[in-house]
Amino acid sequence: MSGKVPQRSPQMGHLSSRVRNVLRGPRPEAVPVLLGRACALVGLLDVAAGVFPRFRHSRMHAIAEVLPGATGPFAAALSLSAGVLLLLLAHGLKRGKRRAWRAAVVLLPAGAVAQFTYRHSVIGVLISLALLAPLLRHRDQFAALPDPRSRWRALANFVLMGAGSLALGLVIVSAHPKTLVGDPSLADRITHVLYGLFGFEGPVDYQGTTSWTVAFSLGALGLLTAITTIYLAFRPEHPAAALTEDDEARLRALLAKHGGRDSLGHFALRRDKAVVFSPSGKAAVTYRVVSGVMLASGDPIGDVEAWPGAIERFMDEAKAHSWTPAVMGCSETGAEVWTRETGLDALELGDEAVVDVPDFSLTGRAMRNVRQMVKRIERAGYETRVRRVRDLGETELERIRQAAEDWRGTDTERGFSMALGRVGDPSDGDCLIATAHKADDEPGPYGDLKAILHFVPWGTDGVSLDLMRRDRAADPGMNELLIVAALQAAPKFDIARVSLNFAMFRSALARGEKIGAGPVLRAWRGLLVFLSRWFQIESLYKFNAKFQPRWEPRFVVYRASADLPRLGLAAMQAEGFVNMALPLPRFLRRRTHTRRPCPHRAPERDIQAA
């Protein structure tokens, strides 16, 4: 431990006030939000003008359609395209993105031209121009930098735009009942839409020039899908930032001095995280950007007195990109500093189970179930070994790596805030590995290895649980066996405290099951138990409670209540519960264990079969 929570000295007060007033978000400015919503409204009007006949009736329209070279169908397609693009740009405008602003400034005049040419609507033109004027006037508020991006955006765009074009195409095909020839079935209409998206004539016929209007509109949707997909596929990538070797070296130096403060500190060394340092270099905040959320985890690294400087840099970076700032799993001290320096809010998320090694014992009634399970497994012929990573040979370490990969319970590895993302890296020699072994008549691919626990350093006198893996054919209770083995072996490694799993909403689960709990608390506990079918909420709490730990509260820091759903989705993506990308089949994945592994690989803590 080092340092106390910084108090409000005159210098600190000045910094705190400056951060609070200048960086108090980076909440989106009112003007970009309003203009983004207005852009979405104009986009809807443009789409309606290109799709529905009643939006196109006017005195001039009947004359214009019979003139040579009438531009009605072309203008309908232009209005439809401009409307769809404005809808796509609305979110970027709300976030103050510069590129979204540039595109909107080009599209709004195009939409106005289409409104006048196709509908001859002065009001439609005025609406588009009325939005264009404030966009130009407030152009200085649209300066946010681009988000990290990859080729997956092209695939996502193709799928979403394709589905949207199919749905909108069905509306277009069905929006002209008075000129429709016959009564085509739904299958015929879908076929017509699919043909039209590729520029071919389908089986549905119309009277007059309606067929041209429908054909040009469907062709515009197909062309729009193709152009946006090609653009996203071939535009320069802005890859997500990752730790450089220099960043990692600086973080390790900070952890060597201050790593004992936070049990999650070592997880800052995940190589799929980015980092910002305080101006003095004495503190840092690591983060990952997920779906526009700038997600930090745990407390800032380093000297507490320098935390405000690192937090200021974090908020500066969030504001520059118009990212939503958030912190997952910070301690009570961290939540206090974050909220005080930024004006953000904090909410208790759950509790971390910490076992003090000198106080741990298998004796007593409270530990009877664990004691009986451990003795039963030991009688079955299992033995345990607890060692530092640096003390393992490369052959055994490779076998442990491969076993941890194959014993993972899901296709997607999970973890972000309490997972390191690698096992056996040469730079992580202080990590602790507990293994369970049993000799079989027919040894498997990993010999007598049956289960693995991996711990990362927590300062000089503690460790924090990283991953738990077991052979599914092994006896139940492997995780209990190895945790007890690690706790009993801890003194010879000078380890005085062990951090176990994080139990989300533990206090609600604990209070809700007590006699006298109110109906609201019982209902909340019932919902958590129901969600535990997918997220291991109750099972993690009960598993941790077996070892009689002390509970350390952990908090989520957020900007506004309206951001919580988005923050929750981003956190589930980061932890691996929601996978927005399409992973390769398992048999196509290469097993590589280099010093700098793929950033998407993060281990999960699996207790389902404990």
Side-chain angles (χ1 to χ4, degrees), residues 48-58 61 118-119 175-178:
V51 173
F52 298 104
R54 67 182 60 186
F55 276 82
R56 302 193 298 268
H57 291 163
S58 68
H61 185 267
Y118 192 38
R119 293 181 55 220
H176 308 80
K178 295 183 179 180

Side-chain angles (χ1 to χ4, degrees), residues 255-256 258-263 266 430 456-463 497:
L255 288 171
H258 309 282
R261 172 171 290 280
D262 185 14
S263 64
H266 199 85
D430 287 339
V456 300
W458 174 12
T460 58
D461 63 345
V463 291
R497 50 189 178 159

